[in-house]
Amino acid sequence: MLRVYNTLTRKKENFETIEPGLVKMYVCGPTVYSDAHVGHAMSALVFDIVRRYLEYRGYKVKHVMNFTDVDDKIIARANQMGVDPFALANGYIHDFEEHLSDLNIMPATANPQATRTMDKIQAMIQGLIGKGYAYPAANGDVYFRVTRDDDYGKLSARKLDDMQAGARIEVGELKEHPMDFALWKAAKPGEPAWDSPWGQGRPGWHIECSAMNLHELGEQIDIHGGGNDLIFPHHENEIAQSESFTGKPFARYWMHNGMLQLGGEKMSKSLGNLITITEFLEKRDGDVMRMIVLNGNYRSPLAFTDEALDAAERGLERIKSALRHSSGQGLQPAAPSAKNAPADVLSALAAQTETTQQTFTDSMDDDFNTSGALAGIFDLVRQVNTARDAGATAGQLAPAQATLRELTGVLGLRLAEKTGSSDADKFIALLVEVRGEVRKQKLWPLSDLIRDRLKELGVTIEDSKDGTAWRWS
RNA sequence: GGCGUCGUGGCCAAGUGGUAAGGCAAGGGUCUGCAAAACCCUCAUCACGGGUUCGAAUCCCGUCGACGCCUCCA
């Protein structure tokens, strides 16, 4: 039984979908006004892993991730750069989609944008006004009336009274209550604007997600996700809007990922302590980013340090070591020495394969416990390597390796071996062959020179009893 | 100040009542001409102080500390 931690109840709950076999999942995407950073990547990775596991468990997943493509910051940035705000936003959307692909994140089934959902947004605002949950202000803004919503604050576990006490919000005559928030913002001169019953303007931030949910997934959804910095006010307001509009419970499970920490603080655009995804991928493989996420708990803060990244990288190497054998990609085989492994080694391998499979499912079923799942995977890695060392043939290793491939695949790891050009491969093979002859003559300084120089060129050589294997590294 | 999450070995991190998974690093060993890789061995009593219990990292209370939200934010 899959169990999921629900922010709304602060408990792990049994996972039951509204429609059998189908999961409707909405994840808040970025506001596209600047380069995305690795914190955005973390969020996307977390929910990619959730999705992959749900699909592995046999669910069909409708996965929607939006782009907020009109808001104050986009407009400000575009004005500052002297470009069209829509062009700016679309450029960043394009970049983001490329990043997702680089990180092996599956494309969502739909990527709605605020600017393309305008009629739905307006219809929803109209509906809310009609039901008394919202009111137009004198200046053309439309606000949500929080006092009308009995359980406002339930997601973030705070009460209206408490918030008011600490609020530093100008009360302004426009709002009835300081916590009332904008559904529609009247346009100022020079701002992009749409016609509406309340005059020229654009949607507030929260309403777009409610409208997109309704349009893409319906009145009720299974999973609503995003970073935990969105719990308040964004998701709180979404619930308020959606439930006031439909009169039905909105999302069954609210899932929130923890924040990436850089230097002990949350990585964010406003603090400026960020590493962009582009910068990251210049130095490390996308698998490394995924691995560091998998190693931790998705709900906890994640310390983003070079040390942790190095550890993730080494761990990946270890998993790859178990996947290699005579036919591995990029690995030139040593002569297979397989003489059949002892029976007890093979039965241990078969047993571990089954255990790992079980551990994987048990762990992932427990609120996507990826580090527990990884532990099981590493146990199998060890057993595969042990069996190989004991002389197992490729055929004997194959089932265990297939399981490794499958499970790491569910986690979204690519585990690709590096490759060079096939032209280069031929010359390297020749060089390795020559070095083999040199070694037969025990000309160690020369053979070591070849090994060292190849290493510098990104080719790793490993000698064994059966010959020499090499691969790009 | 209010609300929330959390505090496990050098680092990252599982584990929510029965005597601490896994990864990285480190030390020792096997293999190797040497190396690399792999494999084997070693390495914690769970922030602190009380309490409940036959028994607690795991439940309760308190203290200290960290982080997040309360304003845009994945």
Side-chain angles (χ1 to χ4, degrees):
Chain A
M1 186 61 175
L2 174 60
R3 290 171 63 76
V4 174
Y5 182 88
N6 189 353
T7 305
L8 192 57
T9 57
R10 318 255 165 207
K11 285 189 300 220
K12 287 182 191 171
E13 298 176 348
N14 290 336
F15 185 71
E16 285 165 26
T17 57
I18 296 165
E19 286 176 47
L22 175 69
V23 177
K24 298 190 232 181
M25 176 164 89
Y26 184 95
V27 181
C28 287
T31 300
V32 280
Y33 69 93
S34 68
D35 289 321
H37 58 74
V38 286
H40 298 105
M42 176 185 179
S43 186
L45 279 165
V46 164
F47 291 100
D48 180 62
I49 293 158
V50 166
R51 171 181 173 180
R52 286 171 185 267
Y53 185 66
L54 289 171
E55 289 182 347
Y56 173 74
R57 286 292 246 106
Y59 290 101
K60 178 176 163 48
V61 180
K62 277 194 188 174
H63 172 198
V64 177
M65 186 189 75
N66 73 302
F67 287 110
T68 299
D69 61 351
V70 58
D71 96 324
D72 292 342
K73 293 199 174 171
I74 296 174
I75 296 167
R77 188 90 199 286
N79 286 343
Q80 181 193 334
M81 293 170 69
V83 299
D84 176 66
F86 301 123
L88 182 81
N90 283 327
Y92 283 121
I93 288 173
H94 177 260
D95 289 351
F96 197 78
E97 285 175 334
E98 247 174 33
H99 291 145
L100 296 182
S101 161
D102 290 341
L103 291 166
N104 200 30
I105 291 167
M106 297 170 77
T109 32
N111 289 114
Q113 295 173 222
T115 55
R116 300 182 184 179
T117 317
M118 209 50 70
D119 50 337
K120 272 86 182 178
I121 291 172
Q122 293 195 3
M124 199 160 194
I125 296 174
Q126 275 294 40
L128 286 169
I129 293 173
K131 293 183 181 189
Y133 285 105
Y135 57 94
N139 68 341
D141 287 353
V142 179
Y143 293 109
F144 185 88
R145 183 175 277 134
V146 290
T147 49
R148 177 67 207 285
D149 182 21
D150 300 333
D151 50 13
Y152 186 79
K154 66 180 173 184
L155 180 68
S156 52
R158 55 189 85 193
K159 295 185 172 62
L160 223 38
D161 297 340
D162 296 341
M163 286 187 277
Q164 235 183 316
R168 289 170 290 161
I169 299 165
E170 292 175 38
V171 180
E173 320 88 65
L174 294 170
K175 290 186 187 179
E176 293 176 1
H177 185 284
M179 295 309 292
D180 285 352
F181 56 90
L183 300 176
W184 189 260
K185 293 179 167 186
K188 300 189 187 80
E191 289 183 346
W194 286 259
D195 288 326
S196 83
W198 321 285
Q200 290 256 308
R202 62 193 152 85
W205 175 35
H206 317 296
I207 193 68
E208 68 174 68
C209 284
S210 287
M212 289 171 186
N213 262 290
L214 191 60
H215 180 234
E216 301 286 346
L217 298 172
E219 294 187 330
Q220 295 180 285
I221 67 171
D222 296 296
I223 295 175
H224 193 125
N228 69 13
D229 54 349
L230 297 182
I231 294 173
F232 190 90
H234 186 53
H235 288 166
E236 193 69 71
N237 292 350
E238 255 188 79
I239 295 190
Q241 294 160 347
S242 292
E243 297 193 347
S244 298
F245 183 78
T246 67
K248 296 174 186 169
F250 178 32
R252 286 202 166 187
Y253 308 95
W254 287 85
M255 296 182 65
H256 293 97
N257 62 278
M259 294 294 103
L260 213 54
Q261 310 280 139
L262 194 66
E265 275 184 311
K266 169 184 164 185
M267 183 180 294
S268 76
K269 291 178 186 175
S270 18
L271 287 172
N273 60 336
L274 49 80
I275 297 172
T276 66
I277 297 175
T278 304
E279 286 165 350
F280 179 86
L281 290 174
E282 278 168 6
K283 294 189 175 159
R284 314 248 190 190
D285 189 86
D287 267 2
V288 178
M289 182 68 215
R290 189 178 287 264
M291 190 65 175
I292 197 173
V293 170
L294 290 169
N295 182 53
N297 179 305
Y298 77 89
R299 288 191 275 127
S300 303
L302 178 61
F304 203 74
T305 62
D306 280 329
E307 220 180 345
L309 290 167
D310 288 343
E313 212 160 67
R314 297 299 315 277
L316 284 169
E317 276 307 310
R318 234 165 91 59
I319 299 177
K320 284 186 201 173
S321 75
L323 256 16
R324 287 178 193 137
H325 203 267
S326 45
S327 62
Q329 298 167 283
L331 175 68
Q332 307 308 309
S337 72
K339 306 144 183 98
N340 283 322
D344 60 326
V345 171
L346 292 177
S347 62
L349 180 61
Q352 185 56 250
T353 304
E354 207 165 304
T355 303
T356 291
Q357 191 93 44
Q358 193 58 48
T359 304
F360 182 84
T361 309
D362 289 349
S363 298
M364 292 298 281
D365 270 357
D366 181 16
D367 192 35
F368 309 96
N369 180 351
T370 49
S371 57
L374 271 185
I377 284 171
F378 277 109
D379 287 339
L380 184 54
V381 164
R382 172 172 298 108
Q383 208 57 241
V384 168
N385 286 333
T386 297
R388 190 204 289 102
D389 285 357
T393 63
Q396 288 169 330
L397 295 180
Q401 288 176 321
T403 296
L404 272 182
R405 266 288 168 208
E406 183 188 20
L407 301 183
T408 53
V410 172
L411 299 177
L413 293 171
R414 279 185 287 224
L415 302 174
E417 295 287 359
K418 285 191 182 152
T419 55
S421 75
S422 54
D423 285 345
D425 283 6
K426 288 178 200 159
F427 290 105
I428 291 162
L430 173 63
L431 208 45
V432 170
E433 189 186 332
V434 170
R435 177 169 170 277
E437 294 304 317
V438 170
R439 289 183 73 228
K440 275 182 192 163
Q441 297 177 37
K442 301 194 190 300
L443 299 172
W444 307 125
L446 181 53
S447 86
D448 289 352
L449 175 70
I450 295 172
R451 183 173 63 196
D452 294 346
R453 297 285 290 124
L454 280 174
K455 183 77 187 173
E456 286 168 22
L457 296 172
V459 175
T460 297
I461 282 195
E462 293 174 5
D463 297 317
S464 76
K465 264 189 179 133
D466 306 307
T468 298
W470 67 269
R471 62 189 157 81
W472 293 93
S473 57

